[in-house]
Amino acid sequence: MKALELWGGPECTLNRVGDGYRDQFGDLGHYARDGDLALFAELGVTALRYPVLWERVAPDRPDECDWQWPDRQLHRLHAAGMRIIAGLIHHGSGPRYTDLLDPSFATGLALFAAKVAHRYDWVEDWTPVNEPLTTARFSALYGHWHPHHRSERSFWHALINQVDGTRLAMRAIRRVNPKARLIQTDDLGRTYATVAMREQAAFDNQRRWMGWDLLCGRVTSDHPFWKRLTAFGLEDRLRAIADDPCPPDVIGLNHYLTSDRFLDHRRQRYPATTHGGNHKVRFADVEALRVLEPPPPGLSGAVREAWSRYGIPIAITEVHNGSTRDEQMRWIAAAWDDCLALRAEGVEVQAVTSWSLLGSAGWNTLLREPGIYEVGAYDVSSGSARPTAVVPLLRGLAAQQPRHPVLAGAGWWQRPIRLLHEPAFRPAPMLEHARGRSVANGPVPPPLMICGATGTLGQALARACAHRDIAHVLTDRAALDLADEASVAAALDTHSPWAVINAAGWVRVDEAEEQEAACRQANTVGPIALARACAERNIATVNFSSDLVFDGSRSGYVETDEPCPLNAYGRSKAAMECGLLDLPGAHLIVRTAAFFSPHDRHNFAAALVRELGAGRPFRAARDEIVSPTFVPHLVDRVLDLLIDGETDIWHLANDDALSWADFAKCLAKACRLDEGLVVEVDGIHLTRAPRPRSAALRSIKGQGLGSLAEAIQHFAQHCASRFAIA
């Protein structure tokens, strides 16, 4: 076998919901960025899954094609030496003049495919229809996407139409290029179940193969689903497909952490959102990883099953995990390593594909409405494509280059935190039940050092590292005294961290007015000395600054705005920023504001809950605008940026800016406390140190920390018992 290849692909779905189309390339800004293709080429991918979508090229009439965009893109990719895997339908139902249930869908797609093949006769790899079975389920069985049908009859007709479309498209393409290969993708997972649900599980586990079975000509009179499909009037079409099959040259297997499912008739064990059913019984449908013990075999299991069934070469055509950066990287690295191990067993795995190179938008709502943006190998939330730590990982896979220290930890799917429900035990060899949860091998990785063991941020960062299985050391003043250069040097040399996060410092803003020298020592002199010592050892650092470096003369501030502090605390942070920016080395400075957390009693939100919970009034400033920051969201983003190797100044806060008084009312409402006890006053009556009237933080470098309303809801869900009145 040839060496395992790295392929890539930007999420390119163009699908229809109701009368509107959702275009991922538009949502991700790909149409407007000229540099994306050069970035893909620099990754070292040998092939790129890239679309020439029917809906975009010929949206209004089949004989009116706009080739401007694909001409430009495909020729640039070809010139860069990247092999193209051309896609014609990606979770779509075609232009407005057809759909998945239209009898002319397949012939229409074949006519379009012929035009594409003639125009780009050098393209050899094709995926005419991406994930036909998955698309048929979402469009014709569940009704999520156009044509929004919800019946088994419609599902099978939609699947057959897509399979016929693929067959006829490949026939047309091969008339132009006889060497053209079909790389047929679909999601592949396995359904597990309680005994009571074994019939439904057996049905699901047979149905998952149907796209490939049809293309391979396996659905004949002895196939388990033959009678079922002929009952829907599909016998003639099944015979035509079996007589003229179009087996894939490569099976494109997509497997996600959600692909394996578990069906349980004991619905009371699970949230109502998981409940569903068939015409016989109601049941819960949950991710198998979240309940099965031992866990399902995942990607390796899916590949072995597909290889055993078909004996056709396999490529993993989508590898993506929307999570924190370390977990994204672990999933990619695990897929690569699993495929190397499978090849050693004799399984012909040809490639691993880094999917969603530019991230994806709205998949948490299945594209039915606006949703969240998930970062890919590049973060495009600012409008430009910022490389994340996934990029050096991809570049180093084939060469087996050293990996980032955080990859020594185990993915969440390999640890006890994966279980969200009472475990359901599946039959498996004892070895599977006893296997360890950690993937760490070899020497102990260097840790991340966190300074500030007693503070809100230090504790939160350590908690996040433990949850993410990132090796770390949390130091207090006895272990690392920022005022003592010898102490700093000793701690760094003892632990040899790969990075240091300084979460220590002076936090008492009002007291700093009378103790400015002490505040400056803690917030300026000490951090600069620590950063200098780290730079001498090639260790990256993170330090935290504040919205109080600004004077409030503007309605909002971005990273490039010049500091102009009003108080001693702000001056200490502004001086720290200047000092760090003048140093050599990799230093990230995070400006943030107005912390609140359910894990710390010493913050504005916790104080409000205590006071209102006791029936006492709570005073809050009505004339000072801030950007509240939910600490759990903050520390996760800080860790991601640090892993990415980001430097310079970043603004991180939740998305909304409001007065302290309005923030207090929002908190009270979410916590079901009396909003009437919030007393609005001018800020001058609450604090000694002058504050800016408006210090809202915005970022030009990337997305914020998400919705403040959602953060407040998270806080409310977790704060009741923590801040109970004695």
Side-chain angles (χ1 to χ4, degrees), residues 22 24 27 360-374 703 710:
R22 181 72 180 268
Q24 287 285 297
D27 290 346
S360 60
W363 272 99
N364 63 309
T365 70
L366 293 179
L367 307 180
R368 291 174 292 177
E369 56 189 51
I372 63 171
Y373 167 67
E374 292 182 5
Q703 62 183 347
E710 290 183 8

Side-chain angles (χ1 to χ4, degrees), residues 576-635:
M576 179 266 288
E577 293 179 5
C578 289
L580 293 181
L581 293 175
D582 286 340
L583 288 177
H587 307 293
L588 172 63
I589 303 165
V590 175
R591 287 188 188 135
T592 186
F595 290 169
F596 69 109
S597 168
H599 305 293
D600 174 39
R601 295 179 61 83
H602 305 292
N603 64 74
F604 177 89
L608 175 130
V609 170
R610 286 195 299 273
E611 294 302 299
L612 298 193
R616 295 188 291 266
F618 185 85
R619 298 199 300 167
R622 60 189 166 207
D623 58 347
E624 295 173 5
I625 305 298
V626 294
S627 298
T629 305
F630 191 50
V631 172
H633 291 175
L634 171 67
V635 296

